[in-house]
Amino acid sequence: MRPSLLKSTAELLRRSRGYASSANPERKVAILGAAGGIGQPLSLLMKLNPLVSSLSLYDIAGTPGVAADVSHINSPALVKGFMGDDQLGEALEGSDIVIIPAGVPRKPGMTRDDLFNINAGIVKALCTAIAKHCPNALVNMISNPVNSTVPIAAEVFKKAGTYDEKKLFGVTTLDVVRAKTFYAGKAGVPVTEVNVPVVGGHAGITILPLFSQATPASNSLSQEDIEALTKRTQDGGTEVVEAKAGKGSATLSMAYAGAVFADACLKGLNGVPDIVECSFVQSTVTELPFFASKVRLGKNGVEEVLGLGELNDFEKKGLESLKVELKSSIDKGIKFAHGS
């Protein structure tokens, strides 16, 4: 990678989310599932983040090669690769943030729920290790179905006596990234200036973009446009799975979204004020125990879970419609954590 390209890539990331470049505390980030389709590009992006001083890459296979490859990039983070169950503890030790993209990807015709049994077991095992080796780390859950894997993680941490609701996040940033992109394209506004809150969960109809709160506001979109944008945001993962024709899922955009959210967490830990991102967290915003909404991030993780703001009638209807499915997914995760 030429220095100019590295500089351009890092600059793009800094502009898109305000990556910092000044002196900051040393921070260790661990990626569990680093050799996978999401894990590899995510490892690359986290290596480029100047807030990361130590990057720990773990997977059941393939990590020595990924770590060697990424470690050659001339950015400050020191990279180490770990492979297999016996090296998991060392990979986690001293981590400030643990990002979990581990698990199997979606394939054509597969819903996020179809992934459940395989990925739920993987998440349960990894979270058991996190509770033992880095109980104070912020945990960024990417492994699907997020609506169930976050509750699984919470139950594992509760059983271990390490649960802190301020430090467990379901990464829903890709829904926000998609909503911003699709809205900007339809409204004809600069995508880098767009903000769209996305609430609810992280699968199908549980994803509720609040286009009525989008900025900059647009008067050019009809109700039909808004409904189409909502559906496209909800079906964004399926759109990519079908486009890749059975050869993958949304790995590159998910890695980008994961890097954006991890950067927000790092900034919060470092005391940067007013860092707000949407995330699936323990919540009292609705009657459900977990819910995605805007969250203010700080030195201990969640500083404040923000409310939904004013919803229009279409969004109110969507909110009520998503609750049954989201509750079912949450309950399924809790039941799995207790039953196996």
Side-chain angles (χ1 to χ4, degrees):
M1 184 179 279
R2 298 191 311 275
S4 60
L5 183 56
L6 173 62
K7 185 177 179 181
S8 298
T9 304
E11 194 59 40
L12 173 63
L13 290 167
R14 274 196 287 272
R15 283 201 304 270
S16 64
R17 161 65 259 160
Y19 273 26
S21 56
S22 56
N24 284 286
E26 291 197 350
R27 297 294 183 191
K28 177 178 177 179
V29 174
I31 300 176
L32 308 185
I38 296 168
Q40 291 198 41
L42 178 58
S43 298
L44 168 65
L45 292 171
M46 295 313 296
K47 176 72 168 97
L48 295 177
N49 189 322
L51 300 181
V52 180
S53 50
S54 175
L55 185 60
S56 179
L57 306 182
Y58 172 83
D59 214 321
I60 56 172
T63 8
V66 175
D69 196 357
V70 172
S71 72
H72 291 180
I73 294 168
N74 59 322
S75 62
L78 297 176
V79 181
K80 289 186 179 179
F82 301 90
M83 186 171 71
D85 291 345
D86 58 331
Q87 294 186 7
L88 178 55
E90 188 182 354
L92 290 170
E93 208 73 49
S95 294
D96 295 288
I97 297 179
V98 180
I99 312 173
I100 311 179
V104 297
R106 289 175 70 195
K107 294 175 182 175
M110 182 186 281
T111 66
R112 281 188 169 91
D113 210 47
D114 294 331
L115 303 176
F116 181 82
N117 286 324
I118 299 172
N119 287 357
I122 293 170
V123 165
K124 188 175 181 182
L126 293 175
C127 288
T128 300
I130 290 168
K132 182 178 180 181
H133 296 285
C134 56
N136 296 315
L138 303 190
V139 177
N140 293 1
M141 184 69 68
I142 292 174
S143 303
N144 277 316
V146 165
N147 293 351
S148 299
T149 55
V150 168
I152 289 170
E155 294 304 309
V156 170
F157 296 149
K158 285 175 187 176
K159 185 178 179 182
T162 65
Y163 181 55
D164 183 345
E165 70 271 17
K166 294 180 179 180
K167 297 187 174 183
L168 176 60
F169 302 89
V171 180
T172 60
T173 313
L174 182 52
D175 302 323
V176 177
V177 166
R178 285 174 173 149
K180 288 178 177 181
T181 301
F182 302 158
Y183 175 85
K186 195 69 177 174
V189 295
V191 69
T192 54
E193 296 176 12
V194 169
N195 198 14
V196 183
V198 181
V199 304
H202 184 57
I205 66 160
T206 70
I207 300 166
L208 183 61
L210 303 181
F211 288 114
S212 70
Q213 298 178 25
T215 55
S218 172
N219 297 319
S220 65
L221 300 180
S222 66
Q223 182 58 29
E224 190 178 59
D225 290 333
I226 295 298
E227 291 179 16
L229 285 171
T230 299
K231 181 162 176 51
R232 190 178 179 200
T233 303
Q234 292 170 338
D235 295 341
T238 302
E239 183 178 316
V240 175
V241 167
E242 290 176 352
K244 290 190 174 182
K247 295 180 180 177
S249 58
T251 53
L252 302 175
S253 53
M254 183 63 248
Y256 168 76
V260 166
F261 187 74
D263 180 67
C265 289
L266 286 164
K267 290 188 139 183
L269 287 176
N270 290 350
V272 178
D274 298 320
I275 300 295
V276 176
E277 290 286 344
C278 292
S279 183
F280 186 68
V281 295
Q282 182 173 311
S283 174
T284 56
V285 166
T286 69
E287 64 273 24
L288 300 176
F290 295 91
F291 200 80
S293 65
K294 286 183 180 179
V295 174
R296 180 173 287 110
L297 300 168
K299 292 184 178 182
N300 296 304
V302 174
E303 199 168 86
E304 183 183 5
V305 178
L306 303 175
L308 301 181
E310 191 174 338
L311 308 185
N312 63 26
D313 290 342
F314 175 69
E315 291 161 351
K316 287 176 183 175
K317 184 179 176 183
L319 177 61
E320 291 310 309
S321 297
L322 70 81
K323 287 180 180 177
V324 173
E325 183 173 323
L326 183 51
K327 183 180 186 301
S328 174
S329 296
I330 293 169
D331 290 345
K332 188 173 183 178
I334 294 170
K335 183 179 178 183
F336 178 88
H338 288 285
S340 60

